[in-house]
Amino acid sequence: MKKFVIQNRKIFVAVCVAVILCVVTVLHFAEPQNEQIPKLKLPVVGNIATANIRVSIEDTIESEIDNVSQSLAVYRLKPVNLNQEKQKIGELFQISSSDIGAFPTGNTLPDGTTVGIDAQTGRWFYQRPIDFDATGGTLSDTDAIQIAEQFIADNDLYPLKELGDAKVGTTSTGDAAQGTEEILRKNVYFYPEIAGKPVYGTFRICISISGSGEIVGVDKFANEYALVDVDVEGKNYHEVATSLSENDYTLNAEVAPNSILIDSVSDAFYADPESEYIQPIYVLEGSGENQTEKYDIWMDARSN
Protein backbone atom coordinates (compact mmCIF):
# COMPACT_ATOMS: atom_id res chain seq x y z
CA MET A 1 0.00 0.00 0.00
CA LYS A 2 2.85 2.37 0.86
CA LYS A 3 4.59 1.75 -2.46
CA PHE A 4 1.34 2.46 -4.29
CA VAL A 5 0.90 5.85 -2.56
CA ILE A 6 4.49 6.86 -3.29
CA GLN A 7 4.10 5.90 -6.93
CA ASN A 8 0.91 7.96 -7.21
CA ARG A 9 2.67 10.92 -5.67
CA LYS A 10 5.44 10.66 -8.24
CA ILE A 11 2.87 10.60 -11.03
CA PHE A 12 1.07 13.61 -9.50
CA VAL A 13 4.30 15.58 -9.22
CA ALA A 14 5.25 14.72 -12.80
CA VAL A 15 1.83 15.89 -14.05
CA CYS A 16 2.13 19.17 -12.09
CA VAL A 17 5.55 19.85 -13.54
CA ALA A 18 4.27 19.19 -17.05
CA VAL A 19 1.31 21.55 -16.54
CA ILE A 20 3.57 24.32 -15.19
CA LEU A 21 5.92 23.95 -18.16
CA CYS A 22 2.97 24.22 -20.55
CA VAL A 23 1.66 27.37 -18.82
CA VAL A 24 5.11 28.98 -18.85
CA THR A 25 5.50 28.16 -22.53
CA VAL A 26 2.10 29.65 -23.40
CA LEU A 27 2.81 32.83 -21.42
CA HIS A 28 6.23 33.12 -23.02
CA PHE A 29 4.83 33.13 -26.53
CA ALA A 30 1.65 35.08 -25.71
CA GLU A 31 3.61 38.33 -25.50
CA PRO A 32 5.91 39.34 -28.37
CA GLN A 33 9.58 38.92 -27.49
CA ASN A 34 12.28 41.30 -28.71
CA GLU A 35 13.16 39.10 -31.67
CA GLN A 36 9.50 38.94 -32.72
CA ILE A 37 9.07 42.68 -33.05
CA PRO A 38 9.94 43.47 -36.67
CA LYS A 39 12.83 45.74 -37.50
CA LEU A 40 11.61 49.28 -37.91
CA LYS A 41 11.27 50.52 -41.49
CA LEU A 42 11.94 54.24 -41.64
CA PRO A 43 11.08 56.08 -44.87
CA VAL A 44 13.52 57.76 -47.23
CA VAL A 45 12.46 61.41 -47.40
CA GLY A 46 12.61 62.94 -50.87
CA ASN A 47 14.81 60.11 -52.17
CA ILE A 48 17.82 61.77 -50.56
CA ALA A 49 20.97 59.69 -50.70
CA THR A 50 22.86 60.01 -47.41
CA ALA A 51 26.04 58.23 -48.50
CA ASN A 52 27.96 61.46 -49.19
CA ILE A 53 26.87 63.36 -46.07
CA ARG A 54 29.41 63.67 -43.29
CA VAL A 55 27.60 63.42 -39.96
CA SER A 56 29.46 64.01 -36.71
CA ILE A 57 28.32 64.19 -33.09
CA GLU A 58 29.36 66.69 -30.46
CA ASP A 59 31.08 64.95 -27.55
CA THR A 60 28.86 66.80 -25.11
CA ILE A 61 25.76 64.80 -26.02
CA GLU A 62 27.29 61.36 -25.41
CA SER A 63 25.71 61.24 -21.96
CA GLU A 64 22.37 62.45 -23.39
CA ILE A 65 22.23 59.50 -25.78
CA ASP A 66 23.20 56.99 -23.11
CA ASN A 67 20.56 58.39 -20.73
CA VAL A 68 17.78 58.31 -23.33
CA SER A 69 18.68 54.73 -24.24
CA GLN A 70 17.67 53.55 -20.75
CA SER A 71 13.99 54.59 -20.94
CA LEU A 72 12.66 53.24 -24.25
CA ALA A 73 9.41 51.36 -24.85
CA VAL A 74 7.45 49.71 -27.65
CA TYR A 75 3.69 50.05 -28.07
CA ARG A 76 1.23 48.13 -30.20
CA LEU A 77 -2.13 49.08 -31.68
CA LYS A 78 -4.88 47.04 -30.07
CA PRO A 79 -6.69 44.53 -32.30
CA VAL A 80 -10.10 45.64 -33.54
CA ASN A 81 -13.35 43.87 -34.28
CA LEU A 82 -13.38 44.32 -38.05
CA ASN A 83 -17.11 43.77 -38.50
CA GLN A 84 -17.97 46.28 -35.77
CA GLU A 85 -15.60 48.88 -37.23
CA LYS A 86 -17.07 48.43 -40.71
CA GLN A 87 -20.58 48.76 -39.30
CA LYS A 88 -19.61 51.99 -37.52
CA ILE A 89 -18.09 53.47 -40.69
CA GLY A 90 -21.17 52.44 -42.65
CA GLU A 91 -23.48 54.15 -40.17
CA LEU A 92 -21.36 57.30 -40.13
CA PHE A 93 -21.48 57.81 -43.89
CA GLN A 94 -24.59 55.84 -44.96
CA ILE A 95 -22.71 53.22 -46.96
CA SER A 96 -22.77 49.44 -46.91
CA SER A 97 -20.08 47.78 -44.83
CA SER A 98 -19.54 45.39 -47.76
CA ASP A 99 -18.37 48.36 -49.85
CA ILE A 100 -15.45 49.09 -47.54
CA GLY A 101 -12.22 47.95 -49.16
CA ALA A 102 -8.83 46.95 -47.80
CA PHE A 103 -6.20 49.43 -46.63
CA PRO A 104 -4.29 51.24 -48.09
CA THR A 105 -6.05 51.58 -51.48
CA GLY A 106 -9.59 50.91 -50.31
CA ASN A 107 -12.60 50.61 -52.58
CA THR A 108 -13.99 53.26 -54.94
CA LEU A 109 -17.76 53.65 -54.91
CA PRO A 110 -19.83 54.65 -57.98
CA ASP A 111 -19.86 58.31 -56.88
CA GLY A 112 -16.05 58.40 -56.64
CA THR A 113 -15.87 58.08 -52.85
CA THR A 114 -13.01 55.91 -51.59
CA VAL A 115 -13.17 54.01 -48.32
CA GLY A 116 -10.90 51.39 -46.77
CA ILE A 117 -9.86 49.79 -43.50
CA ASP A 118 -6.83 47.86 -42.26
CA ALA A 119 -8.05 44.63 -40.70
CA GLN A 120 -4.95 44.33 -38.52
CA THR A 121 -4.60 47.83 -37.08
CA GLY A 122 -8.06 49.35 -37.53
CA ARG A 123 -6.72 52.33 -39.49
CA TRP A 124 -9.40 53.54 -41.89
CA PHE A 125 -10.24 56.36 -44.29
CA TYR A 126 -13.25 57.82 -46.08
CA GLN A 127 -12.77 60.41 -48.82
CA ARG A 128 -15.37 61.95 -51.09
CA PRO A 129 -14.18 63.23 -54.48
CA ILE A 130 -13.17 66.90 -54.46
CA ASP A 131 -15.96 69.19 -55.67
CA PHE A 132 -14.22 71.77 -57.84
CA ASP A 133 -17.51 73.63 -58.34
CA ALA A 134 -18.18 74.09 -54.62
CA THR A 135 -19.58 77.52 -53.73
CA GLY A 136 -20.08 77.17 -49.99
CA GLY A 137 -17.59 79.85 -49.02
CA THR A 138 -14.61 79.37 -46.73
CA LEU A 139 -14.64 78.35 -43.09
CA SER A 140 -12.33 80.02 -40.61
CA ASP A 141 -9.66 77.79 -39.05
CA THR A 142 -11.39 78.17 -35.68
CA ASP A 143 -14.73 76.99 -37.06
CA ALA A 144 -13.08 74.09 -38.88
CA ILE A 145 -11.33 72.92 -35.69
CA GLN A 146 -14.56 73.17 -33.72
CA ILE A 147 -16.47 71.10 -36.30
CA ALA A 148 -13.70 68.50 -36.41
CA GLU A 149 -13.49 68.16 -32.63
CA GLN A 150 -17.27 67.88 -32.36
CA PHE A 151 -17.35 65.14 -35.00
CA ILE A 152 -14.62 63.18 -33.21
CA ALA A 153 -16.37 63.55 -29.84
CA ASP A 154 -19.87 62.74 -31.11
CA ASN A 155 -18.67 59.55 -32.78
CA ASP A 156 -16.18 58.47 -30.11
CA LEU A 157 -13.28 58.36 -32.56
CA TYR A 158 -10.57 59.34 -30.05
CA PRO A 159 -10.37 60.92 -26.58
CA LEU A 160 -10.43 64.69 -27.14
CA LYS A 161 -8.02 65.43 -24.30
CA GLU A 162 -5.38 63.23 -25.97
CA LEU A 163 -5.66 64.70 -29.48
CA GLY A 164 -3.17 67.50 -28.97
CA ASP A 165 -3.23 70.84 -30.77
CA ALA A 166 -4.91 70.94 -34.16
CA LYS A 167 -3.14 72.01 -37.34
CA VAL A 168 -5.18 73.27 -40.30
CA GLY A 169 -4.31 72.81 -43.95
CA THR A 170 -6.28 73.45 -47.12
CA THR A 171 -7.22 71.81 -50.39
CA SER A 172 -7.48 74.54 -53.01
CA THR A 173 -7.27 75.50 -56.66
CA GLY A 174 -5.65 78.52 -58.29
CA ASP A 175 -2.65 80.48 -57.07
CA ALA A 176 -2.65 82.43 -53.80
CA ALA A 177 0.20 84.66 -55.01
CA GLN A 178 -1.86 85.74 -58.01
CA GLY A 179 -5.08 86.12 -56.03
CA THR A 180 -6.82 83.26 -57.82
CA GLU A 181 -6.79 80.68 -55.03
CA GLU A 182 -10.10 79.08 -54.08
CA ILE A 183 -10.16 76.99 -50.91
CA LEU A 184 -12.27 73.89 -51.41
CA ARG A 185 -11.65 72.15 -48.09
CA LYS A 186 -10.16 72.75 -44.67
CA ASN A 187 -8.19 69.74 -43.44
CA VAL A 188 -7.85 69.59 -39.65
CA TYR A 189 -4.96 67.40 -38.46
CA PHE A 190 -4.44 65.96 -34.98
CA TYR A 191 -1.21 64.25 -33.95
CA PRO A 192 -1.73 62.48 -30.59
CA GLU A 193 1.33 61.87 -28.44
CA ILE A 194 2.21 58.68 -26.58
CA ALA A 195 3.69 58.99 -23.09
CA GLY A 196 4.18 62.70 -23.75
CA LYS A 197 6.32 62.09 -26.84
CA PRO A 198 5.56 62.81 -30.52
CA VAL A 199 4.60 59.97 -32.83
CA TYR A 200 5.78 60.25 -36.43
CA GLY A 201 4.68 58.10 -39.33
CA THR A 202 1.07 56.96 -39.60
CA PHE A 203 -0.52 57.99 -36.31
CA ARG A 204 -2.88 60.87 -36.86
CA ILE A 205 -6.47 61.87 -37.46
CA CYS A 206 -7.49 64.23 -40.27
CA ILE A 207 -11.00 65.61 -40.71
CA SER A 208 -11.71 67.31 -44.06
CA ILE A 209 -14.53 69.86 -44.09
CA SER A 210 -16.22 71.60 -47.01
CA GLY A 211 -16.92 75.33 -47.11
CA SER A 212 -20.48 74.61 -45.99
CA GLY A 213 -19.26 72.75 -42.90
CA GLU A 214 -19.90 69.22 -44.16
CA ILE A 215 -17.55 66.35 -43.31
CA VAL A 216 -16.16 65.19 -46.67
CA GLY A 217 -13.16 63.14 -45.57
CA VAL A 218 -11.74 61.29 -42.58
CA ASP A 219 -8.34 59.67 -42.10
CA LYS A 220 -8.45 57.79 -38.81
CA PHE A 221 -4.92 56.46 -38.46
CA ALA A 222 -4.63 56.78 -34.66
CA ASN A 223 -6.25 54.09 -32.52
CA GLU A 224 -6.05 52.60 -29.05
CA TYR A 225 -2.65 51.19 -28.14
CA ALA A 226 -1.02 49.18 -25.37
CA LEU A 227 2.48 48.91 -23.95
CA VAL A 228 4.30 45.79 -25.13
CA ASP A 229 5.82 43.92 -22.20
CA VAL A 230 9.35 43.49 -23.53
CA ASP A 231 12.76 44.75 -22.54
CA VAL A 232 13.93 47.40 -24.99
CA GLU A 233 17.66 47.93 -25.20
CA GLY A 234 18.46 51.28 -26.76
CA LYS A 235 21.43 52.18 -28.92
CA ASN A 236 24.25 53.71 -26.91
CA TYR A 237 26.51 56.51 -28.13
CA HIS A 238 28.87 54.21 -29.99
CA GLU A 239 26.01 52.35 -31.72
CA VAL A 240 24.51 55.66 -32.80
CA ALA A 241 27.86 56.72 -34.26
CA THR A 242 28.10 53.40 -36.10
CA SER A 243 24.60 53.77 -37.56
CA LEU A 244 25.47 57.26 -38.78
CA SER A 245 28.67 56.02 -40.43
CA GLU A 246 26.69 53.22 -42.12
CA ASN A 247 23.98 55.64 -43.33
CA ASP A 248 21.38 53.74 -41.32
CA TYR A 249 19.04 56.69 -40.70
CA THR A 250 16.50 59.00 -42.34
CA LEU A 251 17.34 62.64 -43.02
CA ASN A 252 14.34 64.97 -43.04
CA ALA A 253 15.36 67.47 -45.67
CA GLU A 254 14.57 68.36 -49.26
CA VAL A 255 18.21 69.06 -50.08
CA ALA A 256 21.10 67.17 -48.49
CA PRO A 257 23.94 69.23 -46.99
CA ASN A 258 27.59 68.28 -47.26
CA SER A 259 27.88 67.83 -43.51
CA ILE A 260 25.85 67.93 -40.28
CA LEU A 261 27.04 68.42 -36.71
CA ILE A 262 24.61 66.78 -34.25
CA ASP A 263 24.21 68.83 -31.06
CA SER A 264 21.04 67.45 -29.43
CA VAL A 265 19.07 64.22 -29.15
CA SER A 266 15.58 63.27 -28.00
CA ASP A 267 13.42 60.18 -28.29
CA ALA A 268 10.08 59.84 -30.01
CA PHE A 269 8.01 57.11 -31.68
CA TYR A 270 7.43 56.00 -35.25
CA ALA A 271 4.26 54.25 -36.42
CA ASP A 272 4.98 52.14 -39.48
CA PRO A 273 1.88 52.08 -41.76
CA GLU A 274 2.53 48.40 -42.50
CA SER A 275 2.81 47.33 -38.87
CA GLU A 276 0.78 47.39 -35.65
CA TYR A 277 3.90 48.28 -33.66
CA ILE A 278 4.82 51.81 -32.60
CA GLN A 279 8.55 51.80 -31.99
CA PRO A 280 11.06 54.20 -30.42
CA ILE A 281 13.32 56.38 -32.51
CA TYR A 282 16.04 58.91 -31.79
CA VAL A 283 15.58 62.40 -33.19
CA LEU A 284 19.06 63.80 -33.73
CA GLU A 285 19.20 67.52 -34.43
CA GLY A 286 22.08 69.58 -35.75
CA SER A 287 23.33 72.26 -38.10
CA GLY A 288 24.77 72.23 -41.60
CA GLU A 289 28.18 73.50 -42.55
CA ASN A 290 27.03 77.14 -42.75
CA GLN A 291 25.47 76.98 -39.23
CA THR A 292 22.22 78.54 -40.48
CA GLU A 293 20.29 75.50 -41.70
CA LYS A 294 18.91 73.12 -39.08
CA TYR A 295 18.41 69.42 -39.80
CA ASP A 296 16.91 66.50 -37.97
CA ILE A 297 17.64 62.81 -38.38
CA TRP A 298 15.43 59.86 -37.46
CA MET A 299 17.13 56.67 -36.34
CA ASP A 300 15.82 53.37 -35.04
CA ALA A 301 16.56 53.61 -31.31
CA ARG A 302 16.56 49.88 -30.65
CA SER A 303 19.93 48.22 -30.37
CA ASN A 304 20.65 45.73 -33.16
Side-chain angles (χ1 to χ4, degrees), residues 8-279:
N8 279 349
R9 284 178 179 173
K10 288 181 178 178
I11 294 173
F12 176 75
V13 170
V15 170
C16 287
V17 170
V19 170
I20 291 172
L21 288 174
C22 288
V23 171
V24 170
T25 301
V26 169
L27 291 176
H28 175 78
F29 289 104
E31 289 290 346
Q33 305 301 306
N34 268 357
E35 65 271 17
Q36 292 178 310
I37 297 174
K39 181 173 174 57
L40 182 60
K41 297 178 181 178
L42 289 173
V44 176
V45 178
N47 295 319
I48 290 179
T50 58
N52 297 322
I53 305 174
R54 300 187 307 276
V55 183
S56 55
I57 312 175
E58 284 193 355
D59 295 337
T60 54
I61 69 166
E62 179 174 352
S63 60
E64 280 187 58
I65 294 174
D66 289 342
N67 287 336
V68 169
S69 70
Q70 304 301 315
S71 59
L72 302 179
V74 173
Y75 289 83
R76 180 176 52 187
L77 294 174
K78 292 182 178 180
V80 297
N81 184 312
L82 184 60
N83 290 333
Q84 286 183 2
E85 288 296 299
K86 283 187 172 183
Q87 182 179 354
K88 182 174 183 176
I89 297 168
E91 292 172 352
L92 278 175
F93 304 110
Q94 289 77 54
I95 60 175
S96 171
S97 59
S98 61
D99 287 333
I100 300 173
F103 194 90
T105 55
N107 183 39
T108 302
L109 307 184
D111 66 353
T113 297
T114 57
V115 58
I117 186 170
D118 187 327
Q120 184 179 26
T121 66
R123 296 181 177 110
W124 60 266
F125 65 90
Y126 169 89
Q127 292 291 336
R128 290 191 197 172
I130 296 173
D131 182 4
F132 292 97
D133 298 321
T135 57
T138 302
L139 290 174
S140 68
D141 287 358
T142 300
D143 287 343
I145 291 171
Q146 184 177 3
I147 292 171
E149 289 180 340
Q150 193 65 52
F151 179 79
I152 291 171
D154 289 346
N155 296 289
D156 194 25
L157 296 186
Y158 205 87
L160 281 182
K161 62 181 182 180
E162 298 178 18
L163 280 174
D165 296 333
K167 300 182 185 300
V168 180
T170 61
T171 301
S172 61
T173 60
D175 189 335
Q178 296 181 6
T180 59
E181 181 184 39
E182 292 188 23
I183 296 175
L184 305 175
R185 293 180 174 184
K186 286 288 180 80
N187 305 308
V188 184
Y189 295 89
F190 299 94
Y191 299 92
E193 295 183 338
I194 293 180
K197 299 172 184 176
V199 184
Y200 301 104
T202 309
F203 194 78
R204 65 180 182 274
I205 294 176
C206 177
I207 310 296
S208 298
I209 307 164
S210 70
S212 61
E214 186 180 10
I215 305 297
V216 292
V218 177
D219 290 337
K220 187 178 182 296
F221 299 158
N223 287 319
E224 286 188 84
Y225 54 85
L227 179 67
V228 178
D229 186 16
V230 293
D231 294 327
V232 181
E233 182 180 354
K235 284 187 173 80
N236 59 32
Y237 175 82
H238 297 291
E239 289 174 301
V240 168
T242 298
S243 292
L244 289 173
S245 66
E246 295 175 349
N247 305 305
D248 187 14
Y249 61 87
T250 289
L251 173 64
N252 291 299
E254 294 181 1
V255 179
N258 293 322
S259 65
I260 301 174
L261 176 62
I262 301 298
D263 53 25
S264 70
V265 60
S266 60
D267 60 315
F269 293 99
Y270 185 83
D272 185 340
E274 298 180 359
S275 172
E276 72 270 33
Y277 292 101
I278 301 171
Q279 301 197 46

